Amino acid sequence: MSKTIAFIGLGIMGLPMAKNLVAAGFDVRGFNRTPAKADALAEAGGSAAATIAEAVAGADVIITMVPDSPDVEAVLTGDDGILAHASTGATWIDFSTIRPDVATELAGKAKDAGLKPLDAPVSGGEPGAIDGVLSIMVGGDQADFDAAADVFDAVGKTIVLVGPSGAGQTVKAANQLMVAGNIGLLAEAVVFLEAYGVETGAALQVLGGGLAGSKVLDQKGQKMLDRSFDPGFRLELHHKDMGIVTAAAREAGVAIPLGATVAQLVAATVQQGNGGLDHSGLFTVIEALSGKNEN
Ligand code: NAP
């Protein structure tokens, strides 16, 4: 018998992930704060739950994919949240990107309530979610991780248990540090190349074949050339993530000077009203620093 999965948070990432779980044969009940988004899951063969209680009742696996630490906390521990309604022994997988210390604390509460918690933030963006090829960095117990392999396989390609509860979020914080830094340097390179009138499409093609090549270049380079910053991954979420990595590094006594600089540039982009752009929209601030954004 296929597992029943409750999927809470059907946004840019959650909806395509939930659809892939339906395609893999799971019985998926979706809940979304704005109910209309759950209809798209129902059309794809899942079902729409009106409340978290309805979604999680009797579910074998409960998934959350919401923006930030307070959102996960509310969905888990709220009066009508997961802990109030989940069956003992259910696995709780949190795919959201949140603070490692909060993930550890919430995993403890979930365990106390008889659930099997796995923090499992993802990387690969909306295309990775649609194609079911996300990288998933998991924190939790080995047995719980092994038992959830069928769920992870339906949404991801590189799936690694990196340590106990919270460790997945720590690895994700490092991921976000590297991605933001890469985007910042790619934006600087594009502004530099344009200043010299270089044929930028050709330039990015050849750069992509050498040591400067990266998935960031592949996925974000053309967006910068086209000034096309529809999300994708919203800058305000990356701003959240730079806050997470900055605080966690400080706590660990680790200096991340390049990360701190990029965090400020991300913050500036958000403060200029561009938090809704894709994170490649960091380009707008990098370009403005050189006064090149006037035409
Ligand atoms: P999103 O499109 O904004 O979706 C967030 C979902 O969470 C929406 O369905 C939203 O409901 C729901 N939600 C927000 N606050 C809630 C609350 N307090 N209670 C219940 N539901 C709530 O965000 P996303 O891009 O899918 O990102 C989700 C998570 O994945 C974030 O932690 C993000 O950092 C991470 N992530 C995103 C990407 C990416 O490329 N987008 C990649 C990797 C990781 P409404 O529809 O009512 O707003």
Side-chain angles (χ1 to χ4, degrees), residues 192-268:
F192 168 77
L193 290 166
E194 288 181 349
Y196 275 92
V198 170
E199 212 284 83
T200 43
L204 291 192
Q205 185 189 347
V206 70
L207 289 172
L211 192 56
S214 69
K215 288 186 181 161
V216 165
L217 191 155
D218 294 346
Q219 290 185 24
K220 307 298 180 184
Q222 194 61 44
K223 288 171 88 72
M224 292 182 191
L225 300 189
D226 296 345
R227 311 304 198 255
S228 160
F229 302 122
D230 288 344
F233 185 61
R234 289 182 285 114
L235 268 159
E236 62 195 10
L237 289 175
H238 216 141
H239 181 45
K240 164 202 62 142
D241 295 345
M242 296 313 287
I244 290 172
V245 70
T246 304
R250 184 175 186 276
E251 197 119 316
V254 170
I256 50 165
L258 300 181
T261 300
V262 182
Q264 290 296 308
L265 293 168
V266 170

Side-chain angles (χ1 to χ4, degrees), residues 8-14 31-34 37 52 65-68 70-72 74-75 95-98 122-126 172 176 232-234 237 240-241 279:
I8 298 165
L10 301 168
I12 286 179
M13 297 295 283
F31 168 80
N32 198 70
R33 188 179 58 178
T34 307
K37 285 191 194 164
I52 292 177
M65 190 46 156
V66 295
D68 202 351
D71 306 313
V72 176
V75 165
F95 285 127
S96 324
T97 303
I98 66 170
V122 306
S123 181
E126 187 185 18
K172 176 66 181 180
Q176 295 306 83
F233 185 61
R234 289 182 285 114
L237 289 175
K240 164 202 62 142
D241 295 345
H279 53 168

Side-chain angles (χ1 to χ4, degrees), residues 29 61 76 130 145 148 224 227 233 258 271 290:
R29 294 183 217 145
V61 177
L76 184 75
I130 291 170
F145 174 74
M224 292 182 191
R227 311 304 198 255
F233 185 61
L258 300 181
Q271 292 312 320
S290 300

Side-chain angles (χ1 to χ4, degrees), residues 15-33:
L15 180 61
M17 293 171 76
K19 284 184 178 175
N20 282 331
L21 289 164
V22 171
F26 294 104
D27 172 11
V28 185
R29 294 183 217 145
F31 168 80
N32 198 70
R33 188 179 58 178

Side-chain angles (χ1 to χ4, degrees), residues 34-95:
T34 307
K37 285 191 194 164
D39 295 344
L41 179 65
E43 280 162 26
S47 58
T51 60
I52 292 177
E54 192 186 316
V56 306
D60 303 299
V61 177
I62 298 159
I63 289 173
T64 43
M65 190 46 156
V66 295
D68 202 351
S69 305
D71 306 313
V72 176
E73 184 158 20
V75 165
L76 184 75
T77 66
D79 288 344
D80 253 329
I82 293 168
L83 295 185
H85 298 285
S87 300
T88 305
T91 300
W92 168 47
I93 301 174
D94 183 27
F95 285 127

